[in-house]
Amino acid sequence: METVSTSRAFGGTQGIYRHASTSTGTTMTFAVYVPPHEAGARLPVVWFLSGLTCTHANVTDKGEYRRACAELGLIFVAPDTSPRGEGVPDDPAGAYDFGLGAGFYVDATQQPYAQHYRMWSYVTDELPALVAEHFPADMERQGITGHSMGGHGALTIALRQPRRFRSISAFAPIVAPSRVPWGAKAFTGYLGSDHGAWAHYDAITLIKRGARVGDLLVDQGAADEFLADQLLPELLQEACEAAGVPLTFRLQPGYDHSYNFISTFMADHLAWHAERLR
């Protein structure tokens, strides 16, 4: 693992790191904030999965999480959203919603994407092992959150690994990717036309098939331009109510899909995670 940069923030350390990934076959970059702590302490970890077109840098630059993490004693980890580098295939038309920056947190099975687009394995297996090895992380106390495509990733990962994550939240998540244009395009390209394969990466389908978590926190901007055709939070509300999954859903008047929205409610989400990770 190579250290790209480190800097002090609120008594802790914000670091940017890169390594050669065996999952993606590429060099991957990620960010970790470690709050101030006593020598030898092991700290809970919150994973933040970013959305379409983003890298680790979007939340690192605009997420406004460091003060809250320093006060709450949380390690904050932000991976990239897709493999990158020479030879990594992109959307043939150069669209923003597929290919580079749009890995959708799945393990692709279709060519030419299957070799490198293995973001599920990277985020759930390889990167956690690296974090556990190099940082003072208590891997028995993990939480996960994310935005938009990253909210989809956070929900599906937590639903499929419920014993691993003690806290789950999301900002404007794509809750039913199988039913919306962003998800259908990504799933067709990465997974093929078999909707049975799609089901493993669809939060609504997973809940309907019996997947359960303790409770969820979801914030959604009421002025989000993608609310009606890509996000469909009402489907999550309906699925959680039918399954008895406790959901705290907050529709925030006037807020859109941007990091202005995320940064406004980031401290609330981190407090939610800290309470469950104590």
Side-chain angles (χ1 to χ4, degrees):
M1 189 182 75
E2 176 189 354
T3 300
V4 177
S5 66
T6 59
S7 57
R8 297 288 285 172
F10 299 100
T13 302
Q14 176 65 67
I16 308 298
Y17 309 91
R18 61 177 165 234
H19 70 113
S21 168
T22 57
S23 298
T24 67
T26 66
T27 296
M28 297 294 288
T29 303
F30 63 99
V32 180
Y33 176 74
V34 178
H37 60 281
E38 298 292 335
R42 310 301 289 181
L43 307 175
V45 181
V46 174
W47 296 84
F48 182 91
L49 305 185
S50 293
L52 288 167
T53 76
C54 292
T55 70
H56 68 280
N58 293 77
V59 69
T60 304
D61 293 346
K62 299 181 286 188
E64 299 186 22
Y65 57 85
R66 281 173 283 262
R67 181 189 293 274
C69 284
E71 294 173 351
L72 297 166
L74 299 173
I75 293 176
F76 189 95
V77 182
D80 203 346
T81 52
S82 79
R84 301 178 195 271
E86 185 177 354
V88 177
D90 197 3
D91 184 281
Y96 75 94
D97 55 357
F98 186 78
L100 299 183
F104 258 84
Y105 304 101
V106 305
D107 279 352
T109 58
Q110 303 300 299
Q111 298 301 334
Y113 304 101
Q115 179 180 355
H116 297 298
Y117 283 79
R118 300 187 58 79
M119 290 302 295
W120 179 276
S121 292
Y122 178 71
V123 169
T124 63
D125 293 325
E126 184 176 6
L127 189 56
L130 200 66
V131 168
E133 179 181 357
H134 292 281
F135 300 95
D138 181 355
M139 304 306 280
E140 297 299 315
R141 293 187 290 161
Q142 295 186 71
I144 191 166
T145 186
H147 170 234
S148 193
M149 178 186 73
H152 138 75
L155 292 176
T156 54
I157 289 170
L159 285 164
R160 287 174 59 182
Q161 300 185 346
R163 295 186 179 182
R164 181 172 186 170
F165 297 97
R166 295 190 188 182
S167 57
I168 309 101
S169 74
F171 300 87
I174 305 170
V175 303
S178 299
R179 307 190 197 182
V180 301
W182 279 341
K185 177 179 179 178
F187 285 2
T188 300
Y190 296 136
L191 304 173
S193 59
D194 179 9
H195 284 228
W198 297 15
H200 298 294
Y201 302 105
D202 187 294
I204 301 303
T205 303
L206 290 171
I207 293 171
K208 288 184 175 181
R209 291 185 175 183
R212 297 291 183 267
V213 292
D215 55 358
L216 300 171
L217 170 64
V218 173
D219 272 305
Q220 171 65 59
D224 191 321
E225 62 270 38
F226 304 113
L227 179 58
D229 60 345
Q230 301 281 13
L231 305 179
L232 310 183
E234 65 277 7
L235 297 182
L236 182 64
Q237 293 175 280
E238 294 167 2
C240 286
E241 183 176 0
V245 175
L247 168 65
T248 300
F249 178 80
R250 306 189 303 190
L251 188 64
Q252 304 291 0
Y255 285 91
D256 59 16
H257 201 68
S258 73
Y259 268 84
N260 294 324
F261 158 64
I262 297 169
S263 62
T264 300
F265 300 102
M266 179 66 83
D268 286 355
H269 280 242
L270 292 172
W272 166 279
H273 288 277
E275 181 178 352
R276 288 154 180 77
L277 297 175
R278 288 196 181 100

